Amino acid sequence: MAQPRVIVIGAGPAGVRCAQTLVAAGIRPTVIEEGRRDGGQIYRRQPESFKRSYETLYGDTADRAKSLHSDFDALRSQIDYRPETLAWNVANSMVYAVKAGVSTPVPFDALVVCAGATDRLMPIPGWDFAGTYSLGGAQIALKAQACSIGRQVVFMGTGPLLYLVAAQYVAAGAKVAAVLDTSPFSLRIGALPKLLAQPAALAKGMRLVASLKRARVPLYSGVKLIEITGDAHDGVQGVVFDDSKDVRRTVQCDAVGLGYHLRPETQLADLARCEFEFHAGRRLWMPKVDDMGRSSVKGVYLAGDSARVLGADAAEASGRLAAFAVLQDHGHKVPADQVQAAEASLARIRRFQAGLNQAFPWPHAQAADLPDHAVVCRCENVTAGDLRHVVNEMGAQEANRAKAFSRVGMGRCQGRYCGVAGAEIIAQAAGVPVELVGRLRGQAPIKPLTIAVEDPA
Amino acid sequence: MSTLMNAPDQRRYDADVVIVGGGFMGAATAFFLRQRGRSVILLERGLVGQQASGVNFGNVRRQGRFLPQLPLANRSRAIWGRLPELLGEDVEFLPSGHVRLCYDPVHLDALEEYAKAARQLGLDLELLSQQTVRKRFPYLTHEVAGASYAPVDGHANPRLAAPAFARAAVRAGAKVIENTEIAAVEKDGEDFRATATDGRIFRAPAMLITAGAWGSLLSEQFGEAVPIVARGPQMSVTEPIPYKMREVFGVMTKIEREVVYCRQIPRGNIIIGGSTRGPAFPDIRRAYALPTSTMTQMAEIRRLIPAFGRLNIIRTWSGIEGYMPDDRPIMGPSGKVSGLFYAFGFCGHGFQLGPGVGDVMAELIDTGSTTTPIEPFQMARFAVPVAVAGGVDE
């Protein structure tokens, strides 16, 4: 029997475990990776010439990082590996992969999208000043290039990444001016039963907070973020917020790391015409998948954070499961015990993540309350007021209609960073539930594509 | 389950004219009918201007058209110039000039002949030699053999145009009803009746079908099916760069892949269209930009303006357009049923015509005739000879 042609998009934890499982079954998958090296974001590898140790780079996940990297190194001769390659489109059972300005159609029988996630961002007045980064971006600057985003950095938003990145900055010797969490501390207590599904992860979170306290980093919970101050010339100069007792405070800084958990990268699933569903708990649209990662489209599988944002450990498990699903669907026998083990591990992580969502909720009311002058879409310079205008004066109540009228989400990032908050603003202005606003449809190319692109044929 | 909840909505709506299809043609006609004091209901299955009207390139171009269509295009161009005052809204119309160029010198004669004929029909074109093109537009490829130039044609924003007409129509008293799928159209005594899938009934003594690629699905209910084919334009847009390129450029050629056109908006982005059309799927209301079309389009736009090779495209899209076998729309009265009118199937060249079609159809419905000739577009040209029993078709 001819082996199926399998493409795995992404060489992060999901993609690596998926490729490894396929190789073990005698399949030689094509692995398309946008970055220079494998490892994804959380286990991002430093450039070859950098010499930091695993312990320095990954802390208490050094073993997992080492295992993932060395397993991938061992796979290299058994896969068709294409780094620095962007899968810019999917159509007619082909992935269009562009590398160094040449776009090659790669046919597939099975496509496993392990495209990861990006920060979910909440606009705030002043976030368009230079010096505002996403938490993920701040982390990558440190991990990949050993750079801090500023001399005095404020981290703000909510979620575990907030504390992780702040602690990593402190450990690297950077000055962290404050950590501002929009979620009140009381919610963390309420979420404890669910968080106990992964005691080690919970303990790690507590260690991170303790390390920040030891370093005398001011920590605030239950804050309301008011604005990032600064100007167009010098960029970020400070942050203004109300603390949990409604006292207005100011912190000086020259950079801000901002984020509210992650949102899945779903554009490839969208271009592959997968169905989506709304998840009320996270207030996010995500592609429909079964327990093993099968999407609604035959031959298209989703794993890791691009299917469900559950973190790196879940990504490894779901990458294996998606490979098993591919194998099953092509008549291979799969080891039932391994499938069960991966499913059990995922179930535990899902419970833990439900606890995280409860402890660190997306403060959607803040998006709805943004002042009219706040920029929502930074690519196109569309303000909250512009968005409310197209709802109130032009009758736009649906995300793509509001995009057509206002240009929100029409720029380079294609709504990755403004789409979720934009939907909240539209919903509030229109007086409808956010799920009725819908989601911005993905449009190729998923990232900017040079007009100089060549077709090798 | 309560039976009440499932009972069809039996409300009735009456007007002088019912329009089925909320694209540019339908929205503009609704607006101009209100200008003439006629009550009107405009029915749209999704949202106004979502299909061909909203996804096209945005050309407000007269040159290169089928010559007998120029009077209509001229009437439309005159309205384009008055839109802000008519609608109270800006749809980003810029009369910034339109350049139609060719690579093959054998086409220069055709450009010249067209310009001569167009002048008789009220469209003044300037012929540009190869040297003039190089001097005026130094960024164009030196392959350009010559061009014709329309100084007052230009471009507008297709995402805004049809919805702006619909909003203006509503302000003028029209009923615009979105998210309403029409299951059946028929004539019932003196009146036409459109029945929505939820049971609502819309009645009027006159009906206009402006359903684009879906037009024949409605006209066939009156025994006037036409061979319309749905296709998807292939569009892309670049990241913004400083606004320098005022004119719209389009390549005139007989080779489909060479057809490419572009325009820059003041925001800075360059919109690119042309090359091979893609398939469209009216049943699921989707058409897709094909990666292969994008690749062809990139190669052809790079050929036309080599410096564009330094830019990125950030988005591609498509939509559903209706094409007729003779590349002409259907516009005018039904060939069979009095009080019934059509305006659909604009074959990828309807955007410029939108305001004019609305004005002409409103005039035709209101007065029974129109001062602008539209005979070449009559539905009757597709009439199938009726077979006499026992006889043989000839």
Side-chain angles (χ1 to χ4, degrees), chain A residues 89 91 96 273 379-380 394 401 404-405 407 410 412 414 441 443-445 448-454, chain B residues 47-48 159 163 167 239 265 267 269 286 288 291 295 298 301-302 308-309 311-317:
Chain A
N89 207 346
Y96 288 78
R273 304 178 198 176
C379 299
E380 292 293 328
M394 296 169 81
R401 179 110 298 212
F405 289 168
R407 304 188 72 90
M410 214 174 249
R412 284 171 150 271
Q414 293 207 34
R441 277 189 295 273
Q443 289 174 280
L449 175 72
T450 173
I451 288 181
V453 66
E454 282 175 30
Chain B
L47 299 173
V48 165
R159 290 180 282 108
R167 281 190 300 276
E239 59 202 336
I265 56 171
R267 155 85 191 144
N269 311 70
R286 288 302 299 267
Y288 301 93
M295 295 296 293
M298 295 306 102
I301 197 69
R302 207 158 75 210
F308 282 3
L311 302 179
N312 290 309
I313 56 158
I314 58 174
R315 210 154 11 90
T316 59
W317 68 94

Side-chain angles (χ1 to χ4, degrees), chain B residues 57-261:
Chain B
F57 174 75
N59 232 343
V60 181
R61 166 188 66 87
R62 285 177 293 168
Q63 62 175 332
R65 284 179 187 276
F66 177 54
L67 285 164
Q69 200 174 55
L70 276 183
L72 174 64
N74 291 340
R75 182 163 169 176
S76 201
R77 173 62 189 81
I79 302 169
W80 275 106
R82 293 171 45 222
L83 283 191
E85 98 193 48
L86 269 180
L87 305 181
E89 281 192 47
D90 178 22
V91 299
E92 298 175 10
F93 171 53
L94 288 175
S96 54
H98 184 277
V99 180
R100 186 162 178 255
L101 52 87
C102 60
Y103 298 137
D104 191 336
V106 305
H107 291 146
L108 291 173
D109 290 346
L111 285 181
E112 197 175 335
E113 269 172 45
Y114 188 90
K116 222 179 270 171
R119 196 159 295 126
Q120 305 297 314
L121 292 162
L123 170 63
D124 278 335
L125 298 173
E126 187 187 341
L127 288 166
L128 308 181
S129 69
Q130 188 174 51
Q131 282 66 33
T132 311
V133 170
R134 284 189 191 179
K135 220 161 114 191
R136 240 198 251 185
F137 313 112
Y139 43 85
L140 293 182
T141 172
H142 283 191
E143 272 187 78
V144 176
S148 75
Y149 174 65
V152 295
D153 284 357
H155 55 109
N157 189 337
R159 290 180 282 108
L160 304 181
F165 263 101
R167 281 190 300 276
V170 169
R171 285 194 293 273
K175 270 202 183 67
V176 175
I177 305 178
E178 297 182 309
N179 298 311
T180 296
E181 168 117 28
I182 296 305
V185 284
E186 59 215 303
K187 192 161 188 187
D188 172 23
E190 290 297 294
D191 276 357
F192 289 90
R193 185 168 62 195
T195 309
T197 47
D198 62 7
R200 274 174 298 167
I201 289 169
F202 305 91
R203 300 179 68 100
M207 177 175 275
L208 169 64
I209 307 289
T210 47
W214 295 267
S216 185
L217 293 176
L218 296 163
S219 67
E220 74 182 19
Q221 298 182 34
F222 297 105
E224 293 182 294
V226 290
I228 194 165
V229 173
R231 304 295 302 275
Q234 305 286 300
M235 296 291 158
S236 50
V237 63
T238 70
E239 59 202 336
I241 57 168
Y243 181 45
K244 298 278 187 197
M245 194 179 87
R246 308 279 154 152
E247 295 80 5
V248 186
F249 294 93
V251 176
M252 171 215 179
T253 167
K254 300 218 179 328
I255 304 164
E256 193 187 12
R257 71 162 277 150
E258 279 187 343
V259 176
V260 75
Y261 31 92

Side-chain angles (χ1 to χ4, degrees), chain A residues 299-313:
Chain A
V300 178
Y301 306 77
L302 309 167
D305 280 357
S306 62
R308 295 284 175 272
V309 177
L310 295 169
D313 294 354

Side-chain angles (χ1 to χ4, degrees), chain B residues 61 65 69 321 323 327-329 345-353:
Chain B
R61 166 188 66 87
R65 284 179 187 276
Q69 200 174 55
E321 293 181 333
Y323 286 82
D327 258 342
R328 295 180 204 165
F346 281 82
C347 308
H349 65 250
F351 185 67
Q352 190 278 343
L353 297 178

